[in-house]
Amino acid sequence: MVSLALTALAACCASAAASVVHSEPERAQHGVIQARQSTTGYPAHTIDQLIDHFPNSSRYAPHTTATFKQRYFFDDSYYQPGGPVFLYIGGETSGESRFSNLETGIIQILMSATNGLGVILENRYYGESYPFNSSTTDQLQYLTTEQSIADNAYFVQHATFPGVNATLTTPHAPWILYGGSLAGAQTAFSLHTYGGDGGLLWAGIGASATTKAKLAYPEWYDPIQKFAPQDCVGSINAIVDNIDRIFASGNATAIYQMKVVFGLEALTNNGDFAMTIAFPIGGPMNYPTNTWQELLWGGLGSNDFWEFCTNVTNLNAPENITQVDYALSQYTGGEPWTNLGNYANYIKKYLIPICNGAPINSVLCFGTQNATFYADPTNSGSRSYLYSTCTEAGLYQVARQNGPSLISRQLQVNYTQQWCEWAFPPGQYNKIPATPDLYQINKYGGYNVSAPRLAHIDGDQDVWLDVCFHSNDAPLRYTPNMAEAVLHPQLLIAGAGHHWDSAGVKNVSAEPQFIRNAHLWEIRIVEDWLKEWHATQTYGGYGKKA
């Protein structure tokens, strides 16, 4: 849930002390993607979308036959008759935030290679595609995975593209879906449910598709532990261990002094303190600065994480900073907390100014203990994202109880669950489960979700890898023969993060080799899929095998 004043980000960067090395954040991540905005723009179109696709399901009683205006945006600049339609699933953000994918990203790459048309469909309950004027618990009951993927199936049957002289609804054109992260999971689930020979959807690519639901997800921090600068990682692990020793002691004086070191003594809730100092690393759910997740190739992402680590391990910090390493040594046998001063200085000089003068313990800053704030039913992407998290997806970012941890062990399931309980009190018709109903996502297959012509592409340094197809907990992935490579293609990009294939440049040959190879692989599999589709047309219609 958003608990910080985003408008203060720029002020933060202007007022931070020179001893802290950083650049202005390119975007803030609060569980809801806020990608860079387009400079070109596409006009918004709307379709009258069904609010309830399942009139016979007791899950959505009382039912409604009403519709809402679901927005979509398209680019037909590459389209030629007979070309495919690439449906980009918008995910947990506005449609405008995805424009770069039509301009220079994966959809532009695929459109230009295949004479296709690209369209972004804004997810229900995001951007301006809200079924209702507010988001009470009752009004949110239609925000489910199965309703969202049913939107995709309805759209491909009813979409219109003004100015395009062609009938593009299925089955008149091959529809190929693409989505990353949560939208990648929706892509996979859409193909699983509505794809296959004779289905509404011809093919799809799930990039870093988070197809497995879990309650607790400590694995989010594993790629950082493994691949981040090890002097930084080692420092944070040791500092967190000492922090948790003090929390475990129950010594109120020591706990207060520890918070003073970070300039956060106003935070009376220990979880709020633990989350605040974890912000540069990430989680749970709130990221006012860019984290490991926001790294991207070719200078397209943010350097916030690298700059954080550079500051934490600054060997040339002034004495007034390095002496802070001893501020709490009396509680750890006289041993200093190496780089504590650097870490605390970063929090005070970079994070605290984000509050722009608001009380630190308030919901305008770093405090979260305000049930009334969370229960505000005003439509927002953050509220929608939290609802899906609380009801189906889970994946609460928590600390491991055993072994090294980059975040305090104060951060466990109950810390996130309290926001769910505050935000969504029982309504007349709908109430959230005690913990997320993981079955509603895992019923599609989890790690093994499959469908004909469904491709999975992941990055081995992605924080969400372990709920994706190539998870370390999934079966070993390999392709035994060419037929399997075409029907169920899969690729793990070494050295890549969270759906790094989504981004692109118009000149694919100018991309880094590992990204260029991934994009060429995607072009090849799409071309194979299109050959197969055209063969079905030659031999008797959509869905008929040649």
Side-chain angles (χ1 to χ4, degrees), residues 123-184:
N123 273 49
R124 58 171 56 206
Y125 291 88
Y126 288 97
E128 296 181 17
S129 297
Y130 284 91
F132 307 101
N133 291 328
S134 58
S135 294
T136 65
T137 305
D138 278 341
Q139 292 167 331
L140 285 165
Q141 71 170 331
Y142 306 103
L143 176 54
T144 64
T145 298
E146 65 182 4
Q147 293 279 8
S148 295
I149 66 173
D151 287 347
N152 302 335
Y154 187 89
F155 183 76
V156 304
Q157 297 174 83
H158 299 93
T160 60
F161 300 98
V164 179
N165 186 23
T167 301
L168 296 178
T169 49
T170 189
H172 303 289
W175 283 74
I176 300 175
L177 275 61
Y178 179 95
S181 194
L182 178 147

Side-chain angles (χ1 to χ4, degrees), residues 70-91:
Q70 187 171 26
R71 295 198 306 167
Y72 64 99
F73 310 81
F74 71 89
D75 184 340
D76 64 342
S77 57
Y78 298 94
Y79 180 73
Q80 294 183 18
V85 181
F86 294 100
L87 177 57
Y88 190 102
I89 307 304

Side-chain angles (χ1 to χ4, degrees), residues 210-359:
T210 52
T211 57
K212 178 69 173 179
K214 296 181 177 181
L215 179 57
Y217 187 59
E219 295 92 342
W220 197 93
Y221 302 93
D222 289 354
I224 308 174
Q225 289 278 10
K226 184 175 182 179
F227 296 110
Q230 291 301 292
D231 52 350
C232 174
V233 167
S235 295
I236 300 298
N237 284 336
I239 290 169
V240 166
D241 281 346
N242 283 332
I243 286 171
D244 286 343
R245 286 174 63 183
I246 286 183
F247 278 135
S249 74
N251 185 328
T253 299
I255 292 171
Y256 180 79
Q257 290 178 353
M258 180 171 65
K259 294 178 180 178
V260 168
V261 166
F262 287 89
L264 299 172
E265 62 272 18
L267 288 176
T268 55
N269 182 271
N270 292 341
D272 288 351
F273 168 77
M275 180 175 71
T276 300
I277 65 171
F279 280 152
I281 300 160
M285 288 182 63
N286 297 289
Y287 321 137
T289 63
N290 295 291
T291 68
W292 184 267
Q293 180 174 329
E294 285 71 60
L295 299 177
L296 191 56
W297 58 270
L300 299 177
S302 167
N303 287 324
D304 281 5
F305 182 87
W306 302 125
E307 290 155 358
F308 166 67
C309 271
T310 297
N311 280 276
V312 167
T313 57
N314 182 10
L315 296 175
N316 299 313
E319 185 177 2
N320 66 312
I321 300 298
T322 58
Q323 283 302 305
V324 175
D325 293 0
Y326 294 87
L328 303 169
S329 60
Q330 61 180 307
Y331 303 112
T332 52
E335 293 296 321
W337 298 21
T338 303
N339 286 323
L340 173 63
N342 285 331
Y343 189 1
N345 186 52
Y346 189 89
I347 298 297
K348 289 188 289 187
K349 299 299 185 182
Y350 184 35
L351 272 179
I352 289 178
I354 290 176
C355 298
N356 204 24

Side-chain angles (χ1 to χ4, degrees), residues 35-108:
R36 68 178 181 85
Q37 296 296 315
S38 165
T39 57
T40 303
Y42 301 92
H45 303 270
T46 62
I47 186 171
D48 290 331
Q49 181 65 263
L50 299 174
I51 294 176
D52 182 8
H53 293 279
F54 303 98
N56 298 318
S57 171
S58 60
R59 186 181 184 193
Y60 302 105
H63 296 280
T64 177
T65 59
T67 61
F68 70 100
K69 299 293 185 181
Q70 187 171 26
R71 295 198 306 167
Y72 64 99
F73 310 81
F74 71 89
D75 184 340
D76 64 342
S77 57
Y78 298 94
Y79 180 73
Q80 294 183 18
V85 181
F86 294 100
L87 177 57
Y88 190 102
I89 307 304
E92 63 275 39
T93 187
S94 68
E96 289 90 345
S97 294
R98 299 301 197 185
F99 281 178
S100 63
N101 290 283
L102 292 183
E103 295 168 340
T104 59
I106 184 61
I107 301 302
Q108 184 275 328

Side-chain angles (χ1 to χ4, degrees), residues 383-401:
R383 182 167 176 80
S384 300
Y385 184 88
L386 182 63
Y387 181 82
S388 295
T389 298
C390 298
T391 55
E392 293 186 348
L395 301 180
Y396 297 177
Q397 290 162 252
V398 301
R400 291 191 184 278
Q401 292 284 10

Side-chain angles (χ1 to χ4, degrees), residues 284 317 363 379 493:
V363 291
N379 287 339
I493 311 175

